[in-house]
Amino acid sequence: MQDGRTIENRRSGSGGEDFAHWAATLVVVRGGAEGSEHELGRRRVVIGRGPGVDLAFSDPEMSQQHAAIEFEDGVFRVVDLRSTNGVCVNGERVEERALDHGDRIVLGMHVFRILLEKRDSMPRVYVLPES
């Protein structure tokens, strides 16, 4: 609706948006290292106990490669990577789900919040001359 007063509410962005227009952070709420923040600096971040993951957590209830957070078509989503104990978003068990700012994600004994922030402008890139 375009009445000049209505703001359209979209899930984590629209179809053509680039990953660089977003800042995504995973915050540990429970499970160890509460309050620590992990910037999701790539389009696909694999989470688990490891090895071979981007974010490793010491959690006996988390699979080695438990879940991935992906960015595609302007939307962040969590994908269960066939984990033993599953993935829950806001209390609901899911295999795959689009994420919104503030969603609560449970992987094993860990609880996370995802913070999604749209950047007004592209991050600046500086090229410094070598000394």
Side-chain angles (χ1 to χ4, degrees):
M1 179 187 250
Q2 295 281 336
D3 64 6
R5 293 174 291 166
T6 304
I7 299 172
E8 185 176 347
N9 185 14
R10 295 184 179 178
R11 275 191 166 294
S12 305
S14 63
E17 293 188 82
D18 186 37
F19 178 73
H21 285 106
W22 290 92
T25 306
L26 201 60
V27 179
V28 179
V29 175
R30 189 177 73 221
E34 286 81 3
S36 63
E37 298 182 0
H38 304 274
E39 184 177 348
L40 307 179
R42 298 189 336 202
R43 289 181 177 272
R44 185 171 196 263
V45 176
V46 177
I47 305 164
R49 280 187 290 123
V53 297
D54 301 303
L55 286 177
F57 296 92
S58 179
D59 183 337
E61 292 188 21
M62 198 178 285
S63 296
Q64 286 186 351
Q65 293 188 0
H66 198 101
I69 296 180
E70 303 174 342
F71 179 84
E72 187 177 326
D73 296 326
V75 177
F76 285 92
R77 63 181 34 90
V78 65
V79 178
D80 187 345
L81 300 177
R82 296 190 212 167
S83 65
T84 302
N85 293 317
V87 173
C88 290
V89 177
N90 299 329
E92 177 184 345
R93 189 161 178 161
V94 299
E95 289 186 30
E96 181 176 329
R97 178 162 170 185
L99 295 169
D100 285 318
H101 175 75
D103 278 350
R104 183 177 187 261
I105 304 165
V106 178
L107 308 175
M109 296 186 322
H110 278 73
V111 178
F112 303 92
R113 288 271 183 200
I114 187 146
L115 306 179
L116 303 174
E117 180 180 353
K118 186 165 184 195
R119 296 178 175 150
D120 291 331
S121 61
M122 296 289 288
R124 293 181 189 209
V125 177
Y126 297 98
V127 177
L128 301 175
E130 291 186 32
S131 308

